[in-house]
Amino acid sequence: MDSMLAEERMMALEKFVQKSGWGEAELYPMKGDASFRRYTRLIMDGQKALLMDAPKPQENLDAYLGMTAHLKSLGCRVPSIFAEDREEGFALIEDFGESTFKKLLDESTGDETELYLKAVDVLKFLHSHNDATAISIPSYTIDTMIKEVMLLAEWFIPSALGQKLADQKLLELEQVWRDALADVAQDTSVLVLRDYFVDNLMLVEGQNSIEECALLDYQDALIGSPAYDLVSLIEDARRDIDPVVRRTVLAHYFDGNDSVDRLKMLEAISILGAQRHAKVLGIFTRLSVRDDKHQYLEHLPRVQKLFARSLASPKLSAVRDAVYAVLPNLGDIVIERPEPTFDALKPPVA
């Protein structure tokens, strides 16, 4: 965003804050994430709120607000909306504080097993709720899955090899993925939040897991397989999870879920795990190459390990052969953080 557009957006943001009744608030910008959204904490007269800046066309505030209303109607803990401007892409929302599951785990102030079980309770609740899929959003189609998984070939593989794949290789890679994902893409039984991991879960006051586990970042939700959010939780790109906790989480998910075919679910976890890890490898590389967010490169070795483990599934033998034909050293690839250029060392323009 150039300086003129940035100034115009700041003026629009200030106008929104004034109109919302928070014009006298102290503003505290918060650390950004991988998206284009920006958050600012507002504090006024002992009250707190979060200002969400979700600029178009990169962000879809309508989707966020619609999914917030839907999840709240189901009984999930999501932020209350205090004010909104859909045209500009602003919203004033409830501030849950600082207690993300990730922060609690990093600071050793939260029990890992207990937090993960709360997260699984929410998934079990959503996956068994009769009205969870009663919302007009797209299904997680195979075309969407292929578009995501091919980010591996578009961004990670060229960075790893120093060159792009030939068109024929790209077609071959896409076809083996399409064959592998065909069955799991037919499952449209649950609401899939898509970014379900500890960074996007918060511990709040409540009487049970559904009330205590607050949800964030769900505007990209689709209708798809129950395995997707489960594997997102237990095969986290950003942190290592104790294998005992992983097994406990899976056992807890299956406990009382008599209608779930365990073998089929475990197979779906491997397939969608591989699909997600391939996508994340591409996204994290893109964040570095395109957006200069090089901090995401530190997670690549973990994701490569998770990807390799998922590819061991017999259901992914053709994908495994195709990937290792291109990346025989998948587990040992290191993509270095680029050295700062002369321009990067210049002070910002006032």
Side-chain angles (χ1 to χ4, degrees):
M1 182 181 294
D2 62 37
S3 58
M4 183 174 294
L5 288 176
E7 184 175 352
E8 290 177 358
R9 184 140 191 91
M10 183 58 67
M11 291 173 62
L13 187 148
E14 291 176 355
K15 183 178 179 181
F16 172 73
V17 171
Q18 288 282 352
K19 185 178 179 181
S20 302
W22 286 75
E24 302 302 317
E26 296 288 335
L27 276 61
Y28 299 90
M30 301 176 70
K31 184 179 179 181
D33 58 16
S35 73
F36 287 91
R37 291 186 305 278
R38 294 294 178 265
Y39 292 91
T40 302
R41 173 167 284 129
L42 308 184
I43 300 179
M44 184 179 71
D45 298 331
Q47 301 297 312
K48 295 190 302 181
L50 285 182
L51 173 62
M52 177 193 291
D53 179 359
K56 296 179 179 180
Q58 296 91 348
E59 298 294 333
N60 187 344
L61 183 60
D62 286 342
Y64 172 82
L65 295 173
M67 188 52 60
T68 297
H70 180 61
L71 290 170
K72 185 180 285 289
S73 74
L74 298 176
C76 293
R77 189 70 171 92
V78 291
S80 296
I81 309 299
F82 302 142
E84 62 185 63
D85 186 332
R86 295 176 183 244
E87 185 62 33
E88 290 287 354
F90 300 134
L92 197 64
I93 68 175
E94 183 178 2
D95 186 351
F96 285 142
E98 302 286 349
S99 297
T100 65
F101 283 18
K102 174 68 160 56
K103 185 173 186 289
L104 296 173
L105 292 168
D106 286 348
E107 296 178 351
S108 300
T109 54
D111 181 86
E112 185 175 29
T113 300
E114 181 180 332
L115 290 174
Y116 273 90
L117 289 180
K118 288 183 186 297
V120 172
D121 281 340
V122 173
L123 287 184
K124 291 176 72 172
F125 172 77
L126 279 174
H127 294 175
S128 63
H129 201 300
N130 291 332
D131 296 327
T133 58
I135 182 172
S136 181
I137 57 174
S139 296
Y140 211 156
T141 65
I142 192 167
D143 287 337
T144 299
M145 291 182 181
I146 292 296
K147 182 179 179 180
E148 292 176 346
V149 83
M150 291 305 287
L151 292 171
L152 178 81
E154 185 179 353
W155 294 97
F156 179 78
I157 290 176
S159 292
L161 300 181
Q163 61 183 17
K164 294 182 178 181
L165 286 182
D167 289 345
Q168 184 59 37
K169 282 289 185 183
L170 287 172
L171 290 173
E172 292 172 2
L173 193 60
E174 178 178 334
Q175 188 57 54
V176 293
W177 274 112
R178 191 172 288 277
D179 293 341
L181 293 167
D183 288 340
V184 75
Q186 296 299 313
D187 188 342
T188 55
S189 59
V190 306
L191 179 66
V192 180
L193 301 183
R194 295 183 75 193
D195 280 319
Y196 197 78
F197 49 92
V198 293
D199 299 61
N200 291 331
L201 304 174
M202 298 199 70
L203 187 64
V204 297
E205 292 185 1
Q207 300 298 315
N208 52 49
S209 296
I210 311 307
E211 295 178 1
E212 293 174 336
C213 181
L215 307 177
L216 308 174
D217 202 4
Y218 38 70
Q219 63 280 341
D220 295 323
L222 297 171
I223 306 298
S225 166
Y228 192 89
D229 282 342
L230 189 56
V231 77
S232 301
L233 180 68
I234 63 177
E235 297 187 10
D236 197 328
R238 295 168 173 82
R239 71 179 302 271
D240 297 318
I241 299 170
D242 187 323
V244 175
V245 174
R246 185 183 192 276
R247 291 193 293 272
T248 301
V249 164
L250 284 173
H252 186 61
Y253 181 83
F254 290 130
D255 184 31
N257 260 342
D258 297 333
S259 61
V260 175
D261 184 323
R262 298 190 181 198
L263 179 58
K264 187 176 181 180
M265 174 66 83
L266 291 173
E267 288 178 347
I269 285 173
S270 292
I271 294 169
L272 289 176
Q275 188 268 351
R276 180 172 172 83
H277 300 322
K279 174 179 73 170
V280 170
L281 287 173
I283 290 173
F284 282 4
T285 306
R286 182 177 67 188
L287 285 167
S288 173
V289 174
R290 188 190 69 183
D291 303 330
D292 292 328
K293 296 182 178 181
H294 307 303
Q295 67 270 26
Y296 290 92
L297 295 179
E298 68 183 68
H299 301 302
L300 291 185
R302 176 184 301 107
V303 185
Q304 289 163 225
K305 179 180 177 181
L306 291 169
F307 185 36
R309 187 173 72 184
S310 295
L311 288 176
S313 169
K315 294 286 186 178
L316 292 170
S317 58
V319 173
R320 181 173 63 250
D321 291 346
V323 169
Y324 278 102
V326 176
L327 300 172
N329 61 332
L330 174 62
D332 301 320
I333 295 169
V334 176
I335 297 179
E336 299 286 355
R337 186 185 183 111
E339 293 294 328
T341 63
F342 177 75
D343 286 343
L345 296 174
K346 288 182 179 180
V349 176

